[in-house]
Amino acid sequence: MTIRPLADRVVIKMVEAEETTKSGIILTASAQEKPSIAEIVAVGPGGMVDGKEVTMNVKVGEKVLISKYAGNEVKVDGVEYSIVRQSDILAVVEGAEAPKAKSAAKAETTKSTAKKTETTAKRGRKPAAKTPAKRGRKSKGTK
């Protein structure tokens, strides 16, 4: 059996939630957060919705971020799906380019910091030393 959404609705399948944390702690089912990343299974045709023309901006197979408690959950042939409106979709998840760009920017920052340190060393300068704070004032009348 297949599901064919109507109007501006989208059928999505949630991506599996991680069962362990980054540090290796295994989470129980009740402690796991509801995943907000889903894969689009079917897309409605769009058209007139509430007197406004709606064009569909998502395609089958794309991964998307959705609102945490959006849509209606249905079970078809033992598989759980959610049916959401296109307006409940927050963003389309692009490929793994974003993390690479972030790490490239971090590497560039590390390179520039290393270059500054190297330049300072070539000039024969020492890093500025911290001076101890003065504890009290000397009065003018004492020797």
Side-chain angles (χ1 to χ4, degrees), residues 2-70:
T2 60
I3 302 173
R4 185 175 53 93
L6 303 175
D8 67 335
R9 290 185 172 76
V10 178
V11 177
I12 57 174
K13 183 178 179 184
M14 301 306 285
V15 175
E16 294 295 319
E18 293 196 25
E19 296 177 2
T20 58
T21 62
K22 290 181 182 178
S23 60
I25 299 172
I26 298 173
L27 299 173
T28 62
S30 61
Q32 294 175 2
E33 285 188 28
K34 182 178 177 183
S36 59
I37 297 180
E39 184 175 352
I40 297 177
V41 177
V43 178
M48 294 296 285
V49 177
D50 297 330
K52 297 178 184 174
E53 183 69 28
V54 176
T55 58
M56 300 306 283
N57 298 320
V58 293
K59 296 177 244 164
V60 174
E62 288 183 323
K63 290 194 179 192
V64 293
L65 291 173
I66 61 163
S67 299
K68 202 168 208 170
Y69 299 105

Side-chain angles (χ1 to χ4, degrees), residues 2 9 20 37-38 46 50 52 59 66 70 73 75 81 90 101 105 109 111 114 127 129-132 139-140:
T2 60
R9 290 185 172 76
T20 58
I37 297 180
D50 297 330
K52 297 178 184 174
K59 296 177 244 164
I66 61 163
E73 294 180 0
K75 198 169 197 175
Y81 297 102
L90 304 174
T109 304
K111 285 180 185 176
K130 294 183 179 179
T131 58
S139 63
K140 293 182 180 179

Side-chain angles (χ1 to χ4, degrees), residues 101-114:
K102 187 175 181 180
S103 62
K106 187 175 180 180
E108 189 62 36
T109 304
T110 306
K111 285 180 185 176
S112 66
T113 304

